[in-house]
Amino acid sequence: KASVEVTDEDVQIHGLSAGVFEGEVVSSMRFPEGKAMSVELQASKVSINSINSTFGMNMNCGGLLAGNLEFQMLPGQLGSMQGKGKLSLVQAELFSVPIFGPLSRLMQSVLNDDRVGAGRAKEASCNFLIQDGVVASNDFRTTTTSLIFAGEGWIDLD
């Protein structure tokens, strides 16, 4: 559901609320004539498994996405995108790290349990900036019970 306002100068969408991939998205958008559109979006409890099945992707981590995004962009021109946001993944199975090195595999075999001797990363988060269509983060973070992983990177949307 949403409220839509159309004038000679622009189209505005307020209070957009929708069920998306078993989660919820709330958004506001503005599309001014001949200028950059602007979008604010908040998502919660978006299912990775639902995204996988819809788009035929192969992300077997499961879990739920949440976050927010604000951006401005000239229509059809990804290279003009400017914005910021935050993304979190929870209740996932991202990866596991052997806590006891080579002994972890031995313990897992003897006890017939892949969880023994492994620290599992189940959550991840990052803030990001978008400049000229390039999404960059310098604070990606995920943890296991014994280790903290941090990283940075970028994606050119264009």
Side-chain angles (χ1 to χ4, degrees), residues 13-58:
I13 301 171
H14 301 284
L16 172 67
S17 177
V20 177
F21 301 115
E22 302 176 36
E24 182 179 17
V25 171
V26 177
S27 182
S28 294
M29 301 173 205
R30 183 171 183 211
F31 303 92
E33 182 75 28
K35 297 181 183 175
M37 65 182 190
S38 60
V39 175
E40 294 180 16
L41 178 111
Q42 291 184 317
S44 60
K45 299 181 181 176
V46 176
S47 167
I48 294 290
N49 289 338
S50 184
I51 293 170
N52 279 339
S53 64
T54 300
F55 293 106
M57 298 169 72
N58 191 22

Side-chain angles (χ1 to χ4, degrees), residues 5 8 17 19 36 43 55 58 66 83 89-91 93 96 105 114 119 132 137 153 156:
E5 180 182 338
D8 289 340
S17 177
F55 293 106
N58 191 22
L89 178 62
V90 297
Q91 300 174 6
E93 289 291 330
S96 60
R105 290 277 184 221
D114 287 340
D132 301 324
S137 176
D156 187 340

Side-chain angles (χ1 to χ4, degrees), residues 46-107:
V46 176
S47 167
I48 294 290
N49 289 338
S50 184
I51 293 170
N52 279 339
S53 64
T54 300
F55 293 106
M57 298 169 72
N58 191 22
M59 296 185 297
N60 296 321
C61 65
L64 302 171
L65 285 172
N68 60 56
L69 169 64
E70 298 175 23
F71 72 89
Q72 299 78 38
M73 181 181 88
L74 293 170
Q77 297 181 31
L78 285 174
S80 71
M81 186 182 285
Q82 309 292 326
K84 64 181 180 177
K86 179 175 182 156
L87 185 62
S88 298
L89 178 62
V90 297
Q91 300 174 6
E93 289 291 330
L94 300 173
F95 59 87
S96 60
V97 177
I99 297 171
F100 303 113
L103 292 178
S104 294
R105 290 277 184 221
L106 178 61
M107 293 168 58

